[in-house]
Amino acid sequence: MGVPDQLAERMSMAEQHEYLRARFSRRTMIRGGAVTLGAVTGGAFVTGATAQAAVPTQPLSHTEQVDGSLVAPFGRHLAWGNDPRTEITVSWQVPVAVKKPFIRIGAHPWDLSRKIEAEVRTLYTPAGVGASGDHNQYYLHAKLTHLRPGKTYYYGVGHAGFDPAEPHLLGTLGTFTTAPAHKAPFTFTAFGDEGVGYHGLANNSLLLGQNPAFHLHAGDIAYADPAGQGKTADTGFDSRIWDQFLAQTESVAKSVPWMVSFGNHDMEAWYSPNGYGGEEARWNLPDNGPDKKNLPGVYSFVYGNTAVISLDPNDVSFEIPANLGISGGTQTTWFEAQLKKFRASKDIDFVVVFFHHCAYCTSTAHASEGGVRQEWVPLFDKYQVDLVINGHNHQYERTDVIKGDTVTKKLPIGGTAYPETEGVVYVTAGAAGRSLYAFTAPDSYEGHLNEVDSVASFVNTKDGKVNETVTWSRVRYLNYSFLRVDVTPAPKGHYTTLTVQGIAETGDRIDHFTVARRAK
């Protein structure tokens, strides 16, 4: 079903997509389907860039006639809009097509009188694409605007025949709280490389207990494409994994905005030239990035005194080059403009950047990405980025303070970094749930120190892997874990802090350190 190997080796992801689109177009004249994303509402195509670029989806079948009272929504997940004080999107899924989907929202669970129509994005995967069966997925989105800052709202999602305002369905309601209008203490969490399984579920149960304002997922979200090469020939692809993933994360994501960045396993080459057509069906992220068409996972938002930037390292990856250079340099240009803007803002103290591939990691699997070091590390240094969070390598590793590829300060567990004068701290938090990788050096973490002077590793460059011996690997923990960050504002001129903790799936703390800078 895929592109022949001898052709795929010489073709970009976009070229492979066009090749398959032509093949499927001929077949679907008979079968009535296509491998693509389409945005539909009430059975009619919606105008807009996504819909205009799409090939018609599989026509809705007899499932349109299913009694709506027999269909329950699932997989609810939230995402901030461009301004977390006033905008949020509620997304969910239904197992079959439903009529007139909507969201109800109000200030109290007994007052859900405001009813808003939802958008439906239908994703069709034909039998023979990897391990997938002939499968329709229905993702629904309701973008809410003009909300009040710092306010908790109640919501329920439904459709014709299923109204969450009915007394017997009140248990299906969810809540969310918008960002405050002013600086205030808050907590956020982060990890990467979750997938579906027991360990992801266990980490999710701990996440909720941290009471985070939002959660960052640094790529490789569900692993529906286990090969992760961004090729139509990737074996084992199964779109139904997403159904399991969204059900698994719902306990957290229905009340905590789940902000994702895209990794190599999120390039699903079947749906669009850039591989992100499937992700655009499932997520509704801020649209303030440089190129919504090619880089839908690149965006920024501000919460309190902290700016958060999501980048797409597939654009700069030498290791996995399916989307190498897709932005033509616009992502890096946009990124520097964002850094310059945030550093000039009197309201923003911290800048946190998260994305998938690691700038600095000593894993035996992927180690460090030279494209990230080449394109973005100089900008991290120039604009004194306070914290960089990555996934990709399935373990926990934290660096010393680094500037210009050189350790400027040893940062022991419990230490404090001052990015204005010292440099940047990098954390690999890729042990959310998928099978673990390995280190060449022994584990060294809180309560189990085993420090070494140097670690043998490598970096992926345009010419292949280059071995290196590094001195910046300070904390290593080879088991499941996530990151908790507590943000504490301070009066102007005093030190405001990020208190960063690595927390194991067991609940034990494996690392902690502080990032401090003078408040504006």
Side-chain angles (χ1 to χ4, degrees):
M1 294 284 288
V3 177
D5 290 343
Q6 64 271 27
L7 291 178
E9 291 300 320
R10 303 194 302 269
M11 300 169 73
S12 68
M13 188 188 303
E15 289 169 336
Q16 293 181 62
H17 174 75
E18 288 304 316
Y19 175 93
L20 286 168
R21 178 175 170 178
R23 285 188 63 191
F24 273 100
S25 292
R26 287 192 294 271
R27 294 181 182 181
T28 54
M29 290 176 69
I30 299 174
R31 293 171 53 192
V35 191
T36 188
L37 162 68
V40 300
T41 301
F45 281 95
V46 179
T47 59
T50 301
Q52 291 167 357
V55 180
T57 57
Q58 171 84 342
L60 303 186
S61 63
H62 65 278
T63 53
E64 287 184 293
Q65 306 305 315
V66 170
D67 183 348
S69 65
L70 304 177
V71 180
F74 72 98
R76 289 169 292 175
H77 51 287
L78 308 176
W80 296 126
N82 294 343
D83 185 351
R85 296 171 300 180
T86 59
E87 299 175 357
I88 200 168
T89 293
V90 180
S91 303
W92 66 100
Q93 193 173 352
V94 287
V96 296
V98 297
K99 296 178 179 179
K100 299 180 180 180
F102 63 87
I103 183 172
R104 287 190 180 276
I105 182 172
H108 306 283
W110 57 86
D111 179 18
L112 299 174
S113 57
R114 187 180 178 192
K115 185 177 178 181
I116 302 167
E117 182 182 0
E119 174 195 4
V120 184
R121 301 177 188 172
T122 303
L123 196 66
Y124 172 61
T125 311
V129 173
S132 293
D134 201 64
H135 192 43
N136 271 315
Q137 290 167 304
Y138 304 95
Y139 299 104
L140 301 95
H141 305 272
K143 185 173 182 178
L144 308 177
T145 61
H146 300 94
L147 302 171
R148 292 184 180 179
K151 185 175 180 60
T152 297
Y153 290 89
Y154 292 80
Y155 73 89
V157 296
H159 48 262
F162 187 101
D163 191 335
E166 294 291 331
H168 68 289
L169 294 177
L170 290 179
T172 68
L173 299 185
T175 64
F176 63 82
T177 302
T178 53
H182 307 289
K183 296 180 181 181
F186 70 94
T187 297
F188 70 89
T189 52
F191 60 40
D193 304 79
E194 182 179 8
V196 175
Y198 169 77
H199 296 291
L201 190 62
N203 266 331
N204 288 348
S205 67
L206 287 178
L207 285 182
L208 200 56
Q210 314 305 312
N211 191 29
F214 54 87
H215 176 68
L216 306 179
H217 195 307
D220 283 6
I221 304 167
Y223 284 84
D225 182 349
Q229 295 299 307
K231 295 182 179 295
T232 55
D234 284 359
T235 58
F237 176 72
D238 191 342
S239 60
R240 296 166 294 186
I241 295 296
W242 279 101
D243 302 348
Q244 296 174 272
F245 176 83
L246 291 173
Q248 172 182 289
T249 57
E250 184 175 15
S251 62
V252 184
K254 70 179 181 181
S255 58
V256 177
W258 197 273
M259 307 305 293
V260 299
S261 182
F262 296 156
N264 54 295
H265 286 272
D266 304 313
M267 295 186 291
E268 298 171 346
W270 295 98
Y271 299 118
S272 64
N274 62 5
Y276 299 135
E279 309 304 354
E280 290 186 277
R282 303 173 187 113
W283 306 95
N284 203 77
L285 301 167
D287 60 2
N288 54 19
D291 184 349
K292 187 67 175 175
K293 178 181 178 182
N294 288 316
L295 300 171
V298 179
Y299 58 88
S300 67
F301 64 90
V302 175
Y303 191 103
N305 70 337
T306 302
V308 179
I309 302 174
S310 169
L311 297 176
D312 185 345
N314 294 316
D315 178 34
V316 300
S317 174
F318 294 131
E319 181 197 12
I320 303 169
N323 264 344
L324 179 60
I326 191 172
S327 79
T330 58
Q331 178 174 199
T332 298
T333 300
W334 172 86
F335 178 43
E336 181 165 18
Q338 293 291 108
L339 292 173
K340 187 178 295 186
K341 177 182 71 173
F342 291 143
R343 279 290 168 241
S345 172
K346 63 180 178 61
D347 298 318
I348 295 172
D349 296 314
F350 294 114
V351 176
V352 174
V353 183
F354 77 111
F355 54 94
H356 190 59
H357 301 52
C358 301
Y360 298 98
C361 184
T362 63
S363 165
T364 59
H366 302 294
S368 303
E369 173 55 67
V372 170
R373 289 192 189 178
Q374 175 181 298
E375 292 291 321
W376 299 337
V377 165
L379 297 179
F380 299 153
D381 293 342
K382 179 179 180 180
Y383 293 95
Q384 309 158 10
V385 167
D386 298 286
L387 182 64
V388 176
I389 301 170
N390 301 128
H392 202 38
N393 290 292
H394 301 179
Q395 53 235 88
Y396 180 93
E397 186 169 19
R398 193 257 295 164
T399 71
D400 286 324
V401 187
I402 302 175
K403 191 172 186 178
D405 280 341
T406 302
V407 174
T408 57
K409 176 182 178 179
K410 179 179 177 180
L411 188 63
I413 292 171
T416 300
Y418 298 90
E420 289 175 283
T421 57
E422 295 175 345
V424 184
V425 180
Y426 298 81
V427 179
T428 299
R434 291 293 285 188
S435 57
L436 299 168
Y437 291 164
F439 291 117
T440 59
D443 280 17
S444 183
Y445 56 91
E446 190 164 344
H448 185 85
L449 290 182
N450 196 346
E451 296 189 340
V452 294
D453 293 331
S454 61
V455 177
S457 189
F458 64 91
V459 57
N460 295 284
T461 74
K462 62 182 179 180
D463 298 317
K465 293 181 180 179
V466 174
N467 292 330
E468 61 178 7
T469 300
V470 307
T471 60
W472 39 254
S473 179
R474 185 54 46 203
V475 178
R476 296 173 300 277
Y477 178 72
L478 194 59
N479 217 321
Y480 298 98
S481 58
F482 65 94
L483 208 61
R484 170 179 171 146
V485 182
D486 295 295
V487 184
T488 306
K492 183 178 180 179
H494 294 259
Y495 279 107
T496 179
T497 59
L498 299 176
T499 303
V500 186
Q501 300 180 72
I503 300 177
E505 179 191 83
T506 59
D508 297 322
R509 190 173 69 181
I510 55 173
D511 185 23
H512 72 283
F513 64 95
T514 301
V515 177
R517 65 164 57 236
R518 291 194 182 276
K520 295 178 180 177

